[in-house]
Amino acid sequence: KNYKMSEKEKYNTAFHEGGHTLVSLLTEGATPLHKVTILPRGPALGFTSMVRKNDDLNHTKRGLLAMMDVSMGGRVAEEIY
């Protein structure tokens, strides 16, 4: 509960969540961003929240590829950093 993040973990979390955010903003067909935080929330060190405009049961190929891109964006940002 009182876990203190090291400076390296703070930077890593910031870049990770920033990666999700940038990829989401730059990818056509991605779900719109709702909220992004680099502060620890529960078991997560950071959090990127996206909210769909409609409650769609079906997804387009473009939308599915966008979801994959956004999901991998955090890890890619860590690797670049």
Side-chain angles (χ1 to χ4, degrees):
K1 186 174 183 178
N2 293 332
Y3 178 73
K4 291 282 190 183
M5 290 174 63
S6 69
E7 288 299 312
K8 183 177 182 192
E9 288 174 314
K10 289 179 184 178
Y11 277 105
N12 197 39
T13 300
F15 275 88
H16 181 93
E17 298 307 326
H20 290 307
T21 302
L22 286 174
V23 174
S24 179
L25 291 172
L26 299 174
T27 302
E28 186 177 338
T31 305
L33 287 170
H34 173 65
K35 186 185 297 185
V36 179
T37 181
I38 58 172
L39 300 175
R41 296 283 183 248
L45 298 178
F47 186 70
T48 302
S49 173
M50 294 165 270
V51 178
R52 298 189 60 79
K53 293 178 184 175
N54 304 320
D55 290 333
D56 297 330
L57 297 176
N58 296 316
H59 300 284
T60 63
K61 180 179 178 180
R62 179 177 296 183
L64 291 172
L65 290 173
M67 285 183 218
M68 291 171 51
D69 291 346
V70 172
S71 295
M72 292 186 290
R75 183 70 179 133
V76 170
E78 290 178 35
E79 288 296 320
I80 292 173
Y81 167 67

